[in-house]
Amino acid sequence: MPTLSERDAAVLWHPYTQMQTAPLPIAITRGEGSWLMAEDGTRYLDAISSWWVNLHGHAHPHIAARVSEQLRTLEHVLFAGFTHPAAVELAEQLLQILPQNQARAFYSDNGSTAVEVALKMVLQYFHNQGQPARRTFICFQNSYHGDTFGAMAVSARGAFTEPFWPLLFDVEFIDVPVPGRETEVLSQLDRLLQNPNVAGFIFEPLVLGTAGMVLYEPEVLSEMLRRCHAAGVLAIADEVMTGFGRTGPLFASSLLTEQPDLMCFSKGLTGGTLAMGLTTCAAPIYNAFLSDDKMRALFHGHSYTANPVACAAALASLELTRTDECTHQRQRIGAAHAAFKIEVEGQPGIRAVRHRGTILAVEYDPGEGTSYFSRLRDAFYQLALDQRVVLRPLGNVVYLLPPYCTTDAELELLYAVLRQMRELVLDFVPADNLPHILHD
């Protein structure tokens, strides 16, 4: 009998994967807490929350019970002209804890669609206001906001999007205001804001995820938003990764003194249980769509918009996230990350260590510029798998973003792998010094 991995290889196409050269995927049949169990019985420690989605551990009984109850009550209903209790309750609870200017919630299916909705809201806001020429967006270099076309357009131009560049709308990129470059980046922003056709500024608040967990401070972001608002430019906070406690507080935007006009959520929204996206906005944006003219409405929707089962999962996850126990878990992980940062920062083979909340990133120094496709990245990935740990290195940057239930002992297993990676880097010979060796 073929294995599950072999059956997969006969019928499936996986994301971000060159299917001709990729090894067979690891078949996972069960999850519990921070662990994933494979078909062959191997246990893997999930150090990245299965692409940043899982908050409280796999197969969490509280979320499972709420989902099961919802499935026996109402599995789905169209959300145009109809509503249901879970959608209303979730929106009510979220708007109570989001920045006070957030007034309305719009459901979609995932992070990319949450961003698409925000972009369309901004563009149509100005269209409805009689300013259709305002359609330029400002974005950070190396940012990532999703893989649908609008989300790609406001993300970095790179290898993953190159085939689609001719179809992406133009945007203006500015540098990330990392410590020491704040004044320079504010000047870049000021120059762009002189363009009266700028409509929006979209950003990952405080942490750029796929860029390598690049960190910057809330003070400079608040100042950037103040300058945008002074120019009448709307600000979109992409909290798809940072939301629901990843950076310490429930939302990274909570640390700002100037608030975004729109916010995007997914990933941890349902605790990693079901796909769901959400876009919230301030009242003036919503009000710009109100009219006796039906053509001023937002014509956007999805078949599974506000799916009741996903809403039930999100409510259950939010209930867990708001407990004192979860707050303590996040604080404990953050303290452990901080201690590890002190331990290894400045050691040979390590270029930088970045930490915010439950996020830890180690940027290794292999003596050459590396990329997502480097030999070192693949060596890191395999080293982790050999130690029964699931990581997904970003080139020479290896990050931890574990479920909040991850224990101190499990964290120490992860730190041990990061230490082994440093030893690997010290033995690494840059490709420029090995012209006779063929690489992947």
Side-chain angles (χ1 to χ4, degrees), residues 101 213-214 238 312 368 407 440:
N101 68 331
M213 300 299 168
V214 174
D238 179 351
E368 67 172 14
T407 66
D440 295 338

Side-chain angles (χ1 to χ4, degrees), residues 108-387:
S108 60
D109 288 358
N110 56 64
S112 293
T113 57
V115 168
E116 295 283 338
V117 169
L119 298 176
K120 291 176 72 172
M121 283 180 174
V122 169
L123 293 173
Q124 191 173 342
Y125 168 85
F126 285 112
H127 183 275
N128 286 358
Q129 300 278 61
Q131 303 177 67
R134 295 192 75 157
R135 52 178 179 265
T136 298
F137 285 91
I138 299 172
C139 325
F140 282 136
Q141 295 280 5
N142 300 318
S143 59
Y144 173 80
H145 297 288
D147 291 333
T148 50
F149 271 85
M152 283 194 295
V154 294
S155 300
R157 302 295 189 264
F160 294 162
T161 60
E162 185 174 0
F164 316 108
W165 288 353
L167 302 175
L168 305 181
F169 57 78
D170 291 334
V171 300
E172 297 286 354
F173 288 105
I174 60 175
D175 293 324
V176 182
V178 296
R181 297 197 62 198
E182 294 93 342
T183 301
E184 178 185 354
V185 174
L186 287 172
S187 295
Q188 294 176 13
L189 177 63
D190 286 340
R191 286 194 295 272
L192 293 177
L193 291 177
Q194 293 175 14
N195 178 356
N197 293 328
V198 172
F201 168 43
I202 183 168
F203 55 92
E204 299 164 80
L206 309 187
V207 186
L208 272 70
T210 61
M213 300 299 168
V214 174
L215 305 181
Y216 63 107
E217 296 303 314
E219 292 78 13
V220 67
L221 181 56
S222 295
E223 179 59 28
M224 296 177 78
L225 299 195
R226 277 191 286 273
R227 297 185 187 199
C228 285
H229 289 154
V233 171
L234 299 177
I236 304 171
D238 179 351
E239 293 242 20
V240 168
M241 185 270 281
T242 57
F244 304 100
R246 291 298 189 191
T247 64
L250 287 180
F251 307 102
S253 297
S254 301
L255 297 173
L256 304 179
T257 56
E258 185 83 5
Q259 294 302 330
D261 304 285
L262 303 97
M263 301 178 71
C264 305
F265 305 96
S266 188
K267 291 194 182 291
L269 175 60
T270 67
T273 304
L274 289 164
M276 172 175 271
L278 181 74
T279 306
T280 63
C281 71
I285 297 172
Y286 172 77
N287 291 340
F289 290 77
L290 302 179
S291 173
D292 293 333
D293 181 359
K294 291 184 178 180
M295 299 308 295
R296 292 171 66 91
L298 179 64
F299 291 105
H300 187 101
H302 302 270
S303 299
Y304 284 93
T305 292
N307 174 255
V309 184
C311 288
L315 282 165
S317 177
L318 186 59
E319 185 176 342
L320 293 171
T321 304
R322 298 178 72 181
T323 62
D324 291 341
E325 179 184 4
C326 184
T327 300
H328 173 71
Q329 289 174 332
R330 301 198 308 272
Q331 292 171 343
R332 175 180 52 79
I333 292 172
H337 285 350
F340 181 78
K341 180 178 186 289
I342 292 172
E343 173 197 334
V344 302
E345 199 167 33
Q347 290 185 352
I350 293 179
R351 186 176 295 162
V353 185
R354 296 186 282 275
H355 162 238
R356 187 182 294 278
T358 65
I359 303 168
L360 176 74
V362 179
E363 183 176 349
Y364 293 95
D365 186 0
E368 67 172 14
T370 62
S371 74
Y372 187 90
F373 305 100
S374 70
R375 296 179 303 142
L376 187 59
R377 184 264 173 202
D378 295 340
F380 282 160
Y381 179 75
Q382 190 58 51
L383 186 155
L385 281 184
D386 291 344
Q387 299 301 313

Side-chain angles (χ1 to χ4, degrees), residues 42-167:
T42 303
R43 286 163 45 93
Y44 293 91
L45 184 55
D46 187 354
I48 58 168
S49 299
S50 288
W51 251 342
W52 318 349
V53 301
N54 190 288
L55 296 187
H56 309 293
H58 295 280
H60 195 286
H62 179 67
I63 300 177
R66 293 285 291 274
V67 166
S68 177
E69 178 184 352
Q70 184 62 53
L71 280 168
R72 291 191 295 267
T73 304
L74 176 67
E75 85 299 339
H76 190 60
V77 61
L78 74 161
F79 209 60
F82 293 82
T83 192
H84 59 84
V88 174
E89 185 178 351
L90 178 58
E92 288 174 340
Q93 290 195 22
L94 285 173
L95 291 174
Q96 287 176 1
I97 60 176
L98 287 173
Q100 292 184 352
N101 68 331
Q102 298 300 292
R104 295 283 172 164
F106 191 102
Y107 291 106
S108 60
D109 288 358
N110 56 64
S112 293
T113 57
V115 168
E116 295 283 338
V117 169
L119 298 176
K120 291 176 72 172
M121 283 180 174
V122 169
L123 293 173
Q124 191 173 342
Y125 168 85
F126 285 112
H127 183 275
N128 286 358
Q129 300 278 61
Q131 303 177 67
R134 295 192 75 157
R135 52 178 179 265
T136 298
F137 285 91
I138 299 172
C139 325
F140 282 136
Q141 295 280 5
N142 300 318
S143 59
Y144 173 80
H145 297 288
D147 291 333
T148 50
F149 271 85
M152 283 194 295
V154 294
S155 300
R157 302 295 189 264
F160 294 162
T161 60
E162 185 174 0
F164 316 108
W165 288 353
L167 302 175

